[in-house]
Amino acid sequence: MKLRIKYTKTGPLRYISHLDVMRFFQKAIRRAGFDVSYTKGFSPHQIISFAAPMPLGMTSEGEYFDGEFNTVTNTADMVEGINETMPPYIQVLDIIKLEDKAKPSMSIVAASDYVVYDNPQSEVRPVSNLISKGFELPDELVALKKTKSGEKTEDIRPYIYGLGLMDTTSGEISRWILKPEGASDRVKIVTPLEEPVGLYMLLSAGSINNLKPEAVSGGLAKLFDCPYSAGDERIHRLDTFMNSDTGFASLDKSGERF
Amino acid sequence: MKLALPDRILMNIEKPARYIGQEVNMAVKDINSVDVRVAMCFPDVYEIGMSYLGLQILYDLFNRYEDCYCERVFSPWPDLDKVMREENIKLFTLETQTPVCDMDWLGITIQYEMCYTNILQVIDLSGIPLLAKDRKKGDAIVIGGGPCTVNPEPVADFFDIIYVGEGEVSYRNLLDLYKQYKNSDMTREDFLHEASKLPGIYSPSLYDVDYNEDGTVREIRPLREGVPEKIVWQDVLDFENAPYPMKPVIPYLKVTQDRVGLEIMRGCIRGCRFCQAGMIYRPTRQKNVDMLKKYAKEMLKNTGYEEINLSSLSSSDYDKLDELLTFLIEMRDNDHVNVSLPSLRVDAFSLDVMSKVQDIKKSSLTFACEAGTQRLRNVINKGLTEEYIMEGCRQAFVGGWDKVKLYFMLGLPTETEEDMLGIAELSQRISECFFDNVPKEQRNGRVMITASASYFVPKPFTPFQWASMIRPEEFTRRAHAVKDACNSMRNKKSIRFIYHDADISILEGVFARGDRRLSKVILRAYEKGAIYDAWSEFFKPAIYDEAFAECGIDPYFYTERTRPEDEVFPWDHIDVGVTRSFLLNEWRLSQQEKVTPNCREKCSGCGAAKYGGGVCYEAKN
Ligand code: SF4
């Protein structure tokens, strides 16, 4: 049986690498006593796969992995069971059942949304500066992009699907700079952040056009003449999306609770 | 949780996860409801320290006490070390990210001599005065523990207290005494004085050392009344029921021992004459097999690890090993738990077990031969015969193995050219054994024999504490001789010989049997930038050459002399149970190439029976 598990990674655990998170869940699944499936062969391993690697330093409340299980109980029971064995900074939010033929989360990621906010430890405040300048999104935004063969400049504007000013407590978008079609004016956020306002961004993600939030804030800062370095801001991922008939849908909409 | 280090530092150092704590099973307590806060330190990098079972045992023990909160500290890696010095950041505990200088105790486990400068690094970065004599009442009490405390003299100046023995025994008393001291106007000196009356507690400042003109020790004597002349190593007697961490802390980082560690036995019955652990952890004590099965299940459940490792000095001597392994292998089949095998005696049973848990094609057989000839194996009392090695190899080759690892030491007392050549010849005979027993069509490539040689370091409380250690140049010469011999063997293509770094070992030899005067050298080396000496990429021998010269100390004084039988040793005020007369007799027997039976064959009256338990009384039960 295929399940998709949504989890958070917050606070100090932003310094745990993606590889370590994978190893962490292998153990958490066993502590929780889940009946996970193993591969056959001499050194069997759990059949689980993660959606997208998360860079060091970023926090998130919208991470996913998929797993194969021989038997399951129900969503509420499993969420509670595994959360008891994990620190408060990494918690499972939801578990859904997938169709047998469902594609792995890794292959369907199309977008992600983020809050970018000023690092409370830094004196330079790029996000506040941008906001105070009443910035707009230009028709073309050039940013440096790392590729396999080095760096190149690229217009990242087409990969920005949404941009706004956000109240980090209520999730309310007080001003849209680019409003995604059909978007609500209030975004769901469960993690307390250390700054009251931030930039909301909905960006292309996945293996093809993965746009990093710092490319957007960095590009804007440059354009509007604000001092900026990546360490002056923090990034919190809100959720990860796939394409659906009605536009972007959260990865946890690919199945039902059970 | 507010981290001690800011983002800009954490984002720019290697593996920031080393410094954030917050792991599963970490102890969480209200700091306002405890009386004593302990920082427990393993003075090496996180991944090494967290792999050490003893730390998890003590951490669990201290945190079982309601009035105490024990947190962990490790050596910052050199990249962070540099930043902390530049920015004047104080070393902090992982759990609550509190500066170590705000703790009541800084307990440091001393597992190997080459961590001595890291001890200074930790004390220094904590903002605590490096020398015990400069510390005041408000400063943390710096306590050392672990196997190196059998000769703590080279680091004596840096510690207020050295705990001599197994940690499970005396700490409760020390905590109670400390509480008295903290809540009264008792002076630091009086506290140390009272502490030194507790079993196993050694306070170096309360002893004075006199030297003879030739530089050897004349006398070590207590300075105050009531301070014992001998500090007795503490052994856990009720080893079966000693507390054991059912919920060890689980690192996020991949550490060296990334698995459940299950201690099945402490001590060793064998009595190899070079082995310090085999002497100081006497008598051998075992855990009950049913209890171990229960522990294994529970720990695997509490950690989620997929692998379990049995820990002991010589697992094959655990009397219910077959039963325990059979149980664990069943668990492997049902619950996907792998068993990582400690070096077992190679016989039909262990080969059968190994074939179940390892990929035969990838794994290798290991023999700790230690010496190349039977004569020299008798000298060191290594009860491993060539027939046994050959029979083990034969069975393994027939069973499908084709890789063998052999461990040797070079520089053992009485070693001759013949013994060195013996290493190559033994390797040759093993390769022949392969070709004789495995038909051509079953060979999967060629057999590979890897012989590796380490540099023999004489240790205190072993029969070889009187022995001379060869110079590094001589070690390198002997290693080359063995290498040439290997290359002249008929099956040289199947034999590989590797050897260890000589510079680090010679220093280990100096510290192992050193005296208090070496504290200056260690301090000087540290001031010149020595840290992480156990890591060959950081170890700088030139720093030590200068430090010895500037302190006017000849390092070879400590390594090269064959000590007279009646020489007073710098560690003579420590009593580990095994008596000096037993060790001396063993030293003499070694020169006569005579072996001593192991504790189960025949008791040799080593002195450890005074603890009143373990193997010494097995037959009598
Ligand atoms: S007293 Fe005898 S049995 Fe006990 S540890 Fe010593 S030699 Fe072994």
Side-chain angles (χ1 to χ4, degrees):
Chain A
M1 195 170 303
K2 268 191 194 168
L3 301 185
R4 176 160 297 157
I5 291 131
K6 179 181 189 182
Y7 65 95
T8 67
K9 180 175 170 246
T10 61
L13 296 203
R14 63 186 180 278
Y15 293 111
I16 304 298
S17 73
H18 182 64
L19 213 69
D20 290 336
V21 169
M22 296 177 14
R23 295 176 343 99
F24 170 86
F25 271 110
Q26 283 165 18
K27 294 195 274 277
I29 285 171
R30 291 179 63 93
R31 286 195 299 271
F34 290 176
D35 187 11
V36 65
S37 310
Y38 277 79
T39 58
K40 303 272 174 288
F42 200 86
S43 41
H45 54 265
Q46 295 176 2
I47 307 180
I48 55 174
S49 68
F50 284 72
M54 207 177 133
L56 217 62
M58 190 194 278
T59 56
S60 174
E61 56 184 78
E63 298 302 303
Y64 294 89
F65 71 91
D66 300 342
E68 288 260 356
F69 295 81
N70 301 320
T71 56
V72 299
T73 56
N74 60 62
T75 297
D77 185 62
M78 288 179 82
V79 169
E80 197 190 314
I82 196 165
N83 281 345
E84 269 173 14
T85 77
M86 307 201 294
Y89 308 107
I90 187 160
Q91 289 278 298
V92 166
L93 295 174
D94 207 357
I95 304 181
I96 57 163
K97 192 180 272 184
L98 301 178
E99 305 258 310
D100 279 345
K101 57 181 194 314
K103 287 192 184 133
S105 52
M106 196 186 317
S107 68
I108 54 172
V109 171
S112 245
D113 59 354
Y114 310 85
V115 202
V116 178
Y117 59 102
D118 288 324
N119 187 336
Q121 296 173 355
S122 175
E123 272 164 34
V124 180
R125 302 178 60 76
V127 173
S128 305
N129 276 342
L130 265 180
I131 296 175
S132 69
K133 293 205 169 162
F135 75 102
E136 289 298 329
L137 195 56
D139 292 337
E140 196 188 74
L141 186 61
V142 177
L144 270 183
K145 209 179 160 193
K146 270 200 195 113
T147 64
K148 285 196 184 91
S149 50
E151 282 183 341
K152 61 171 192 180
T153 55
E154 191 193 16
D155 178 16
I156 57 172
R157 175 63 188 80
Y159 310 121
I160 305 175
Y161 304 140
L163 189 62
L165 308 191
M166 177 176 157
D167 179 320
T168 64
T169 326
S170 64
E172 198 157 305
I173 307 293
S174 57
R175 175 162 89 89
W176 281 111
I177 291 134
L178 172 67
K179 183 169 178 172
E181 219 173 298
S184 136
D185 289 340
R186 187 184 279 263
V187 184
K188 190 165 173 234
I189 177 166
V190 295
T191 311
L193 303 179
E194 286 175 66
E195 284 287 323
V197 287
L199 282 184
Y200 172 84
M201 297 182 189
L202 174 65
L203 309 177
S204 171
S207 49
I208 305 166
N209 288 309
N210 194 53
L211 178 56
K212 292 181 174 161
E214 59 266 37
V216 178
S217 45
L220 288 171
K222 196 164 170 214
L223 195 67
F224 290 90
D225 239 358
C226 302
Y228 172 88
S229 80
D232 297 329
E233 67 186 12
R234 277 191 188 161
I235 301 169
H236 178 70
R237 183 185 272 155
L238 293 162
D239 205 355
T240 308
F241 303 97
M242 58 189 172
N243 285 314
S244 79
D245 305 341
T246 52
F248 291 134
S250 171
L251 283 191
D252 63 3
K253 294 287 175 294
S254 18
E256 297 295 328
R257 293 190 185 154
F258 51 97
Chain B
M1 168 54 51
K2 196 174 171 325
L3 296 174
L5 297 172
D7 294 3
R8 73 186 154 76
I9 294 179
L10 286 163
M11 286 303 285
N12 287 301
I13 51 175
E14 242 180 80
K15 302 193 185 170
R18 287 166 175 161
Y19 310 107
I20 64 170
Q22 323 314 314
E23 305 94 329
V24 173
N25 295 339
M26 173 187 100
V28 178
K29 291 196 179 190
D30 173 9
I31 54 169
N32 297 312
S33 69
V34 295
D35 300 322
V36 187
R37 293 186 67 184
V38 176
M40 182 175 298
C41 171
F42 190 107
D44 205 315
V45 75
Y46 178 91
E47 297 93 300
I48 301 287
M50 283 303 292
S51 300
Y52 168 58
L53 204 56
L55 185 102
Q56 299 262 14
I57 293 179
L58 277 187
Y59 179 77
D60 170 67
L61 180 89
F62 275 105
N63 282 316
R64 284 175 190 227
Y65 300 136
E66 252 175 47
D67 56 349
C68 171
Y69 187 14
C70 178
E71 307 182 41
R72 291 159 301 146
V73 184
F74 300 95
S75 278
W77 192 243
D79 61 349
L80 178 62
D81 176 277
K82 183 164 170 279
V83 177
M84 291 177 81
R85 284 170 207 276
E86 282 164 5
E87 303 200 16
N88 214 348
I89 297 171
K90 290 224 172 108
L91 188 59
F92 50 90
T93 61
L94 297 187
E95 278 72 3
T96 60
Q97 304 270 307
T98 310
V100 173
C101 58
D102 293 345
M103 297 280 137
D104 293 290
W105 291 6
L106 168 58
I108 301 177
T109 174
I110 322 175
Q111 293 292 318
Y112 31 85
E113 291 83 359
M114 297 313 290
C115 74
Y116 288 170
T117 53
N118 277 42
I119 293 176
L120 290 178
Q121 176 211 25
V122 166
I123 301 177
D124 197 14
L125 290 177
S126 300
I128 298 169
L130 287 175
L131 297 176
K133 68 176 169 55
D134 298 333
R135 296 180 198 137
K136 310 256 165 349
K137 177 141 184 170
D139 291 322
I141 307 278
V142 182
I143 305 176
C148 286
T149 62
V150 297
N151 177 23
E153 293 308 286
V155 287
D157 289 355
F158 315 133
F159 286 95
D160 300 296
I161 285 173
I162 304 273
Y163 179 107
V164 182
E166 298 169 0
E168 291 100 330
V169 189
S170 260
Y171 275 122
R172 182 64 251 178
N173 297 338
L174 193 61
L175 281 169
D176 291 335
L177 181 66
Y178 177 81
K179 277 160 70 174
Q180 256 181 52
Y181 155 74
K182 190 181 176 185
N183 301 319
S184 70
D185 54 6
M186 192 192 279
T187 63
R188 199 172 173 101
E189 291 68 35
D190 285 343
F191 165 69
L192 295 179
H193 185 200
E194 286 308 309
S196 72
K197 296 174 188 167
L198 297 173
I201 303 295
Y202 168 47
S203 185
S205 64
L206 297 176
Y207 294 77
D208 203 16
V209 186
D210 294 329
Y211 298 92
N212 294 311
E213 247 160 57
D214 63 4
T216 56
V217 173
R218 179 166 42 223
E219 193 193 13
I220 306 152
R221 62 195 156 80
L223 289 170
R224 286 180 72 170
E225 209 183 310
V227 177
E229 263 168 47
K230 293 253 181 194
I231 303 102
V232 180
W233 172 273
Q234 300 297 295
D235 256 13
V236 180
L237 267 187
D238 191 7
F239 182 63
E240 293 248 296
N241 298 307
Y244 200 75
M246 287 299 111
K247 291 184 160 196
V249 180
I250 310 163
Y252 296 107
L253 285 172
K254 191 164 172 56
V255 301
T256 322
Q257 283 288 337
D258 195 31
R259 49 188 75 88
V260 166
L262 187 65
E263 189 184 25
I264 60 174
M265 186 167 69
R266 202 172 283 180
C268 177
I269 59 171
R270 305 253 147 210
C272 298
R273 292 180 177 132
F274 54 83
C275 178
Q276 188 184 52
M279 295 293 161
I280 66 179
Y281 292 107
R282 282 183 176 215
T284 303
R285 290 144 289 162
Q286 314 195 88
K287 290 220 157 129
N288 172 289
V289 71
D290 293 319
M291 183 184 259
L292 289 177
K293 290 182 195 167
K294 205 179 108 235
Y295 281 7
K297 266 209 153 119
E298 196 171 335
M299 291 176 78
L300 286 163
K301 166 85 185 132
N302 289 341
T303 58
Y305 278 123
E306 291 182 332
E307 193 170 339
I308 185 163
N309 178 54
L310 304 184
S311 157
S312 77
L313 290 168
S314 165
S315 298
S316 294
D317 294 325
Y318 179 67
D319 63 356
K320 299 271 172 53
L321 186 73
D322 293 15
E323 186 181 339
L324 184 61
L325 284 177
T326 309
F327 170 82
L328 291 174
I329 288 191
E330 251 167 53
M331 208 144 88
R332 175 195 156 89
D333 299 341
N334 304 330
D335 302 331
H336 303 282
V337 174
N338 208 354
V339 188
S340 87
L341 291 175
S343 35
L344 294 180
R345 289 176 76 82
V346 178
D347 56 25
F349 171 74
S350 68
L351 286 173
D352 180 47
V353 170
M354 281 189 251
S355 69
K356 286 182 185 140
V357 302
Q358 301 169 344
D359 188 346
I360 295 180
K361 282 287 142 231
K362 287 187 191 137
S363 60
S364 52
L365 289 186
T366 306
F367 292 92
C369 309
E370 313 299 359
T373 59
Q374 194 57 48
R375 184 201 70 82
L376 192 52
R377 282 196 294 274
N378 290 349
V379 168
I380 62 176
N381 204 37
K382 183 88 208 179
L384 186 71
T385 61
E386 177 144 348
E387 296 81 75
Y388 162 75
I389 298 172
M390 285 304 165
E391 178 54 21
C393 285
R394 192 192 60 77
Q395 289 184 20
F397 291 151
V398 171
W401 274 269
D402 54 13
K403 289 184 208 56
V404 179
K405 277 191 201 152
L406 307 172
Y407 293 124
F408 296 96
M409 280 190 273
L410 282 173
L412 287 164
T414 77
E415 184 175 70
T416 63
E417 302 294 319
E418 199 186 322
D419 299 312
M420 295 172 223
L421 197 64
I423 294 175
E425 284 168 347
L426 181 61
S427 307
Q428 165 71 20
R429 282 196 294 278
I430 293 175
S431 69
E432 286 167 10
C433 170
F434 176 83
F435 294 115
D436 291 347
N437 287 287
V438 184
K440 241 199 182 90
E441 57 284 2
Q442 281 171 31
R443 290 178 204 162
N444 216 329
R446 62 172 55 248
V447 59
M448 198 64 225
I449 304 183
T450 308
S452 70
S454 61
Y455 185 169
F456 167 63
V457 179
K459 295 274 167 118
F461 296 105
T462 67
F464 291 157
Q465 60 183 348
W466 285 274
S468 152
M469 178 173 175
I470 58 173
R471 291 216 177 199
E473 308 83 77
E474 176 61 11
F475 171 78
T476 310
R477 186 194 71 78
R478 291 188 193 188
H480 284 147
V482 177
K483 196 164 189 103
D484 291 345
C486 288
N487 284 334
S488 69
M489 290 294 133
R490 198 154 36 82
N491 294 341
K492 60 173 182 267
K493 289 213 174 93
S494 295
I495 304 172
R496 206 160 62 102
F497 177 72
I498 50 180
Y499 58 95
H500 292 225
D501 189 337
D503 287 328
I504 293 183
S505 300
I506 188 75
L507 197 59
E508 183 187 328
V510 173
F511 292 155
R513 292 186 293 168
D515 55 40
R516 260 185 208 197
R517 290 170 297 190
L518 290 175
S519 288
K520 304 204 274 290
V521 179
I522 296 165
L523 184 58
R524 186 65 63 92
Y526 171 71
E527 286 164 354
K528 288 172 172 287
I531 48 167
Y532 280 94
D533 296 327
W535 295 69
S536 52
E537 65 260 52
F538 297 117
F539 178 62
K540 301 185 197 78
I543 289 189
Y544 279 95
D545 292 343
E546 287 171 33
F548 278 111
E550 286 165 24
C551 296
I553 287 178
D554 171 17
Y556 293 115
F557 168 78
Y558 296 99
T559 56
E560 200 149 85
R561 295 178 306 114
T562 299
R563 287 153 165 79
E565 291 189 352
D566 60 353
E567 180 170 323
V568 175
F569 294 138
W571 53 91
D572 270 356
H573 53 313
I574 309 277
D575 169 3
V576 299
V578 172
T579 58
R580 183 166 169 138
S581 56
F582 168 77
L583 294 173
L584 185 61
N585 193 42
E586 282 291 293
W587 172 228
R588 290 176 183 153
L589 287 173
S590 78
Q591 282 151 335
Q592 297 157 20
E593 301 169 8
K594 285 198 181 131
V595 298
T596 298
N598 74 47
C599 295
R600 285 208 181 110
E601 288 163 357
K602 179 175 175 293
C603 168
S604 309
C606 73
K610 78 168 180 193
Y611 290 108
V615 67
C616 322
Y617 297 87
E618 250 171 32
K620 301 181 181 83
N621 286 341

